[in-house]
Amino acid sequence: MSVEKQLRKPILIYLDSSDYSVLSKPNLVESELQQLTALRALKRSGDAIFVFSAAHISEMSPLDKKYAMAAVERTNLLVELCDRNALISFDRIMKAELTCLVTQSQELVDVHDSNGGWFPEMGSLISPLEEIDFAGALKSEMDMHTMNRNMRRVLKAGMTNKRGLFRSDLEKRYGPADYSELNRKIPMRSQDFTVIKNYILGRASRTQADRAFLESLRDPHYMAQWFIQYHEQLGAIGEWVRRPARNLLESCEITLTNLRAYLSDLSGEEHSEARSVLSGARWSELKSQGVIDIVNRLLSLTLPEAPPCNNVAVIEKYCPGIYVCINAFYDSLQNSFTERPRKVKSSDFVDIIHALYIPYVSYFRADKYMCSVLQPLAQPFGTQVVASPAQLISVMGVKGEIQGKQV
């Protein structure tokens, strides 16, 4: 990525999910209140754009009904700061970067969607329309009433049209249908669900119905309300959001697991010898080969017709997000075998997934440990990795007023 391209991009700020949780809780202490005031002042100034991602939507969802109101409050803060400014999902950015790699395109991937397009590609979700089993519903009704063949033919003719969809006047004939089960599985605002219903009844097209469904997803406020009502079953949405991240994790894990297992089983003396492998030219070679193996695995999954790439410099140029992400995995693993080792945590892998966005934002929030891993990787892109909202406010020189005090 050229310096010129980096300078042209707007100032994008990517906060951590925990920031929205901490700063939306009741009874903030003074330092937290000052941070919140400064972030709001930054938003109002228009000097920067706060952005969220599918990871925020997934991580901020309540796991239990008793946490539902807290989920609403943190979502409200997310919407207040970000509006609908989202970063495209993991699967879309990976596919875009891999496409650039294959085509050698110099175009910078546009990851910013100002209309809330945080969600994965539609093809990776079971559309709510696929959840509507017209034939099954009709068969169940006929089985319930033990109808003979002639009665079934009459009922089917009266309920469905030539395309196999329900007739547009179905509800006039038989009364309103119960759609509650569908709405429990897939979140939709009432006005958008009306379009889905019209599609079922033959009064709207499939394109209109899919567009209405996506409009509901663009509204984080509605998503939070849906999580409260149906917190116990995230259904297809939770799986849809998490699947792209899991695909990347699994691709990395296949390459890293054997190396990690080998190093973990070493004796004390062997452990010392291993540390020499985990530095210098040998480690660089291992890491470069790991990047190549993982990217080629992703290519085979995403663009199966594409030829493999065996040049790590080319991967770094055309797949900067994937490159940063994979290197962060390796560097974190390396830190677990230093003289003062830090044990690799399962949460590290989740945090590292967010690093896919580092080349595309100006400020990236990570915890203190991950800052030490990610900042060297972020530096070539001009991205500043910060360990807290307070540090973000400090490095940006943001001023805010609260009860006569400056922050």
Side-chain angles (χ1 to χ4, degrees), residues 34-36 38-39 388-398 407:
Q34 290 176 344
Q35 292 169 29
L36 180 57
L39 294 178
S388 66
Q391 186 183 3
L392 169 68
I393 292 163
S394 176
V395 297
M396 292 192 70
V398 180
V407 295

Side-chain angles (χ1 to χ4, degrees), residues 20 31 33 54 104 197 228 233 235 248 336 355 375:
Y20 296 106
S31 60
L33 193 54
Q104 305 284 285
K197 178 179 167 182
I228 282 185
Q233 54 171 326
L248 177 56
S336 66
Q375 185 55 58

Side-chain angles (χ1 to χ4, degrees), residues 57-71 74 227-228 230-234 242:
I57 297 293
S58 177
E59 293 171 8
M60 292 166 67
S61 307
L63 299 178
D64 190 281
K65 189 172 185 178
K66 64 184 177 182
Y67 303 122
M69 285 311 301
R74 57 181 174 255
F227 285 138
I228 282 185
Y230 305 119
H231 65 280
E232 74 285 354
Q233 54 171 326
L234 296 181
R242 296 181 177 95

Side-chain angles (χ1 to χ4, degrees), residues 362-381:
S362 308
Y363 296 92
F364 182 91
R365 167 77 165 87
D367 65 30
K368 186 175 181 181
Y369 166 70
M370 289 309 302
C371 277
S372 65
V373 173
L374 297 175
Q375 185 55 58
L377 298 171
Q379 191 170 355
F381 307 101

Side-chain angles (χ1 to χ4, degrees), residues 5 59 81 152 155 193 195 217 229 249 330 338 367 373 375 402 404:
K5 286 182 178 178
E59 293 171 8
L81 293 179
R152 287 169 181 257
L155 179 63
F193 194 82
V195 180
L217 295 184
Q229 191 170 359
L249 280 171
Y330 271 90
T338 59
D367 65 30
V373 173
Q375 185 55 58
I402 173 169

Side-chain angles (χ1 to χ4, degrees), residues 41-334:
L42 180 58
K43 161 67 187 301
R44 288 193 303 270
S45 74
D47 292 336
I49 299 171
F50 290 89
V51 290
F52 70 94
S53 71
H56 289 102
I57 297 293
S58 177
E59 293 171 8
M60 292 166 67
S61 307
L63 299 178
D64 190 281
K65 189 172 185 178
K66 64 184 177 182
Y67 303 122
M69 285 311 301
V72 170
E73 291 304 317
R74 57 181 174 255
T75 303
N76 286 342
L77 179 57
L78 180 145
V79 173
E80 179 186 348
L81 293 179
C82 300
D83 294 321
R84 287 194 173 194
N85 289 292
L87 299 181
I88 62 175
S89 61
F90 298 134
D91 65 320
R92 292 165 64 194
I93 190 172
M94 286 190 291
K95 184 175 182 179
E97 288 194 346
L98 292 170
T99 299
C100 287
L101 175 65
V102 172
T103 62
Q104 305 284 285
S105 171
Q106 298 290 332
E107 282 294 317
L108 183 64
V109 175
D110 185 6
V111 304
H112 178 208
D113 189 309
S114 60
N115 192 30
W118 58 267
F119 33 81
E121 286 188 344
M122 194 70 181
S124 62
L125 172 70
I126 298 175
S127 164
L129 307 181
E130 308 299 342
E131 293 283 304
I132 303 171
D133 182 4
F134 299 104
L138 190 54
K139 183 177 184 301
S140 296
E141 185 69 19
M142 292 186 289
D143 289 344
M144 186 186 304
H145 297 285
T146 59
M147 296 179 176
N148 61 35
R149 182 177 297 177
N150 186 56
M151 292 173 66
R152 287 169 181 257
R153 188 180 298 116
V154 171
L155 179 63
K156 187 174 182 180
M159 294 183 71
T160 61
N161 59 27
K162 293 180 180 180
R163 293 182 295 152
L165 302 178
F166 290 127
R167 295 172 61 100
S168 60
D169 60 351
L170 178 69
E171 293 189 319
K172 288 183 180 179
R173 294 184 178 210
Y174 300 100
D178 181 6
Y179 302 99
S180 58
E181 181 61 25
L182 177 61
N183 207 32
R184 271 195 293 273
K185 293 180 179 179
I186 305 291
M188 281 172 281
R189 301 177 302 179
S190 59
Q191 64 267 38
D192 297 322
F193 194 82
T194 297
V195 180
I196 303 291
K197 178 179 167 182
N198 285 337
Y199 166 74
I200 296 171
L201 299 176
R203 299 195 291 254
S205 69
R206 175 61 180 267
T207 300
Q208 289 173 317
D210 278 337
R211 188 183 303 122
F213 166 61
L214 294 181
E215 275 305 305
S216 282
L217 295 184
R218 295 181 192 279
D219 186 347
H221 270 135
Y222 177 76
M223 293 294 294
Q225 293 296 328
W226 183 79
F227 285 138
I228 282 185
Q229 191 170 359
Y230 305 119
H231 65 280
E232 74 285 354
Q233 54 171 326
L234 296 181
I237 292 298
E239 169 64 14
W240 183 43
V241 170
R242 296 181 177 95
R243 187 185 302 129
R246 189 169 63 246
N247 288 344
L248 177 56
L249 280 171
E250 288 174 353
S251 294
C252 291
E253 280 289 286
I254 291 171
T255 299
L256 293 175
T257 295
N258 291 338
L259 176 60
R260 187 167 58 235
Y262 164 73
L263 293 173
S264 297
D265 291 339
L266 296 177
S267 65
E269 184 177 336
E270 292 171 326
H271 203 285
S272 297
E273 292 177 3
R275 284 202 294 269
S276 65
V277 176
L278 291 168
S279 61
R282 176 60 179 146
W283 178 245
S284 295
E285 290 174 10
L286 282 172
K287 192 159 61 168
S288 294
Q289 188 58 52
V291 170
I292 289 169
D293 291 344
I294 292 169
V295 165
N296 283 330
R297 192 171 292 115
L298 291 172
L299 270 174
S300 68
L301 292 171
T302 308
L303 302 169
E305 301 300 319
C309 178
N310 296 306
N311 188 323
V312 73
V314 173
I315 292 172
E316 180 181 8
K317 178 179 180 180
Y318 293 105
C319 303
I322 296 174
Y323 179 84
V324 167
C325 199
I326 297 172
N327 274 271
F329 270 107
Y330 271 90
D331 292 348
S332 188
L333 178 63
Q334 183 183 33

